[in-house]
Amino acid sequence: SQQGEEDPQALSIQEGENATMNCSYKTSINNLQWYRQNSGRGLVHLILIRSNEREKHSGRLRVTLDTSKKSSSLLITASRAADTASYFCATGRAGGTSYGKLTFGQGTILTVHP
Amino acid sequence: EAGVAQSPRYKIIEKRQSVAFWCNPISGHATLYWYQQILGQGPKLLIQFQNNGVVDDSQLPKDRFSAERLKGVDSTLKIQPAKLEDSAVYLCASSTFLVNQETQYFGPGTRLLVL
């Protein structure tokens, strides 16, 4: 079953604009991760935020986490055509046999027009 | 370091045939995952290995799917017999399973088409 739901399903912007994608989940988590997938390729890890963190930055990426609302957002600033890809949030639970296991959302398809 | 390797990259078979996929994880990674990604959806975990033991196979359709990780390194995923709904990309991922090292590293995937 899919843990996360992402919004929007598709996003189309111009180069230089910011892109914001949202992820909601249902159960308590240990961490939330964002991955990127270019067409026909494997997934690439972008950023991880832990349940006790509220915001994290990595280059042009900014991730926020609100555990009270069970939601996260990924902001890509000053987007480039090369950012065109599908973006997935994935939630990781704590403890026991759940450690390391990720549950992925449906993804947001981002298209950045030059 | 070398990434996760998968083969073949593409496979076309007819329904009721069998197929096998191979994965070689990043050297030293104790945990290996197989995911199924149907077009337009996120990856769904099929099975998780810790070394050569199965940690979670709750979503593996065991009547037709099987997986093994002999010697705790390479892994194979088999489908026998295949159904039309098995058409998907099969992704292999690995991780270190150390504390606070939850990042998974994915291979390029095997795209399976069942006709």
Side-chain angles (χ1 to χ4, degrees):
Chain A
S1 64
Q2 301 286 342
Q3 156 84 308
E5 292 185 4
E6 293 172 70
D7 169 58
Q9 290 188 332
L11 180 60
S12 182
I13 60 174
Q14 295 295 126
E15 213 167 24
E17 294 181 340
N18 295 341
T20 300
M21 289 160 266
N22 303 297
C23 170
S24 60
Y25 56 92
K26 298 173 184 175
T27 62
S28 61
I29 62 171
N30 170 273
N31 66 84
L32 187 145
Q33 304 181 35
W34 287 88
Y35 287 80
R36 182 187 71 220
Q37 185 177 37
N38 291 91
S39 179
R41 306 283 294 275
L43 281 77
V44 174
H45 179 261
L46 295 175
I47 195 165
L48 179 153
I49 187 166
R50 301 198 177 280
S51 59
N52 61 352
E53 297 175 310
R54 292 296 167 260
E55 186 171 314
K56 206 161 184 181
H57 296 255
S58 177
R60 294 184 296 113
L61 305 180
R62 173 179 169 253
V63 169
T64 61
L65 178 64
D66 187 336
T67 53
S68 66
K69 295 181 179 178
K70 291 187 169 57
S71 67
S72 174
S73 67
L74 171 68
L75 169 67
I76 304 174
T77 59
S79 63
R80 306 166 182 168
D83 294 328
T84 295
S86 293
Y87 291 81
F88 294 91
C89 69
T91 52
R93 288 178 286 172
T97 58
S98 293
Y99 185 79
K101 177 180 173 180
L102 292 178
T103 306
F104 283 83
Q106 301 274 35
T108 293
I109 300 171
L110 173 66
T111 304
V112 182
H113 300 281
Chain B
E1 72 185 355
V4 176
Q6 289 189 248
S7 68
R9 292 295 311 277
Y10 305 93
K11 191 74 177 179
I12 301 174
I13 61 173
E14 296 191 349
K15 60 183 179 183
R16 290 188 290 273
Q17 287 187 323
S18 62
V19 64
F21 312 127
W22 174 81
C23 172
N24 181 244
I26 292 173
S27 177
H29 280 194
T31 309
L32 184 147
Y33 311 82
W34 282 103
Y35 290 88
Q36 179 192 60
Q37 186 177 22
I38 292 172
L39 186 64
Q41 298 183 16
K44 183 184 84 170
L45 179 68
L46 292 176
I47 189 167
Q48 176 183 350
F49 289 97
Q50 176 68 14
N51 295 311
N52 60 352
V54 175
V55 174
D56 185 347
D57 63 356
S58 57
Q59 297 195 85
L60 186 74
K62 298 180 186 64
D63 58 334
R64 298 183 301 106
F65 285 64
S66 65
E68 61 182 11
R69 191 184 184 198
L70 300 176
K71 300 180 182 179
V73 182
D74 293 9
S75 177
T76 56
L77 175 69
K78 297 179 182 178
I79 308 175
Q80 182 179 7
K83 293 185 175 181
L84 297 177
E85 59 260 36
D86 298 332
S87 294
V89 177
Y90 291 84
L91 296 164
C92 178
S94 69
S95 67
T96 62
F97 205 74
L98 296 174
V99 174
N100 295 334
Q101 297 288 329
E102 298 95 334
T103 298
Q104 294 186 18
Y105 298 85
F106 284 79
T110 296
R111 190 175 298 271
L112 173 68
L113 179 59
V114 182
L115 302 175

